[in-house]
Amino acid sequence: MTVGAPGGEVVLETDRLLLRPWRVAEAVVQRELWTERDPRVPPHRRIDAEGHPTVADLEDAIRTDEVWSNGLLAVERKVSRDVVGYCGLVDDGRVAAGEPELAFELLRRVWRRGYATEASAAVLDWARASGYERLWATVWDWNTASRRVLAKVGFAETGRTEVDAERGTTLFTTRRL
């Protein structure tokens, strides 16, 4: 794992992956993630009727939004040098202050290859080295693949849930570092 690349950017490295800040040109990957999302995902996280977010919208977010500059890191495969998703820490106010949430999302074409688990483990190592004592992760009850990833990296369900009659139940998980 590498932390603290030039310019203060977080860069994490595993055997197969490089986790690093997004580049504006990679907004097309973010757009692809948006188009692949399950229809049960809330509308504000899917492409709307007017086609937003567009690639231009996402390029602007990469330029200006702290979450995309050093919170949710691009997951790049080292051998093929392609970006296949994101993994990182966010603080969206849903959980305890000072205890960020692990978030990850990968393109469907790379599912079932262990990349989400590998990227998540790297982020956990970085979070521990940065002094965090506990992390959270939320996951839809129907998202069995993400639930498996969280279990593999040591997250446990807390019993806290948020029920949405249309979309399903959000499960809150946590992990001590």
Side-chain angles (χ1 to χ4, degrees):
M1 174 178 69
T2 306
V3 179
E9 296 177 339
V10 174
V11 177
L12 310 175
E13 186 171 356
T14 71
D15 289 342
R16 300 183 298 164
L17 305 172
L18 187 65
L19 284 74
R20 54 149 177 87
W22 285 86
R23 298 177 184 134
V24 172
E26 295 161 347
V28 294
V29 176
Q30 288 187 10
R31 183 68 154 71
E32 187 176 351
L33 286 166
W34 279 78
T35 63
E36 291 185 347
R37 288 188 177 143
D38 189 286
R40 293 170 287 189
V41 170
H44 72 278
R45 296 204 55 232
R46 290 182 290 145
I47 304 295
D48 69 18
E50 289 79 40
H52 291 279
T54 64
V55 170
D57 295 333
L58 295 166
E59 288 171 343
D60 189 50
I62 291 169
R63 281 188 204 94
T64 62
D65 191 332
E66 188 72 17
V67 169
W68 294 113
S69 62
N70 61 18
L72 295 176
L73 302 169
V75 174
E76 177 182 317
R77 295 189 295 181
K78 289 164 123 180
V79 171
S80 55
R81 306 295 296 174
D82 60 334
V83 174
V84 295
Y86 65 80
C87 186
L89 300 177
V90 294
D91 184 3
D92 62 7
R94 293 175 69 180
V95 294
E99 296 179 350
E101 185 174 345
L102 173 70
F104 55 86
E105 184 177 14
L106 299 179
L107 294 169
R108 289 176 188 249
R109 63 184 151 85
V110 300
W111 286 4
R112 295 178 188 71
R113 296 184 190 176
Y115 295 136
T117 302
E118 188 173 330
S120 295
V123 169
L124 290 175
D125 288 344
W126 172 79
R128 185 180 303 106
S130 298
Y132 291 106
E133 294 180 11
R134 182 167 74 164
L135 298 180
W136 292 82
T138 56
V139 61
W140 294 100
D141 60 349
W142 46 262
N143 190 340
T144 55
S146 290
R147 289 175 71 183
R148 277 195 303 274
V149 168
L150 292 172
K152 286 179 189 176
V153 296
F155 280 79
E157 292 183 20
T158 64
R160 177 180 168 192
T161 62
E162 289 179 359
V163 178
D164 180 319
E166 264 186 78
R167 316 235 172 268
T169 300
T170 299
L171 307 174
F172 285 73
T173 66
T174 191
R175 183 186 194 287
R176 290 228 170 259
L177 300 175

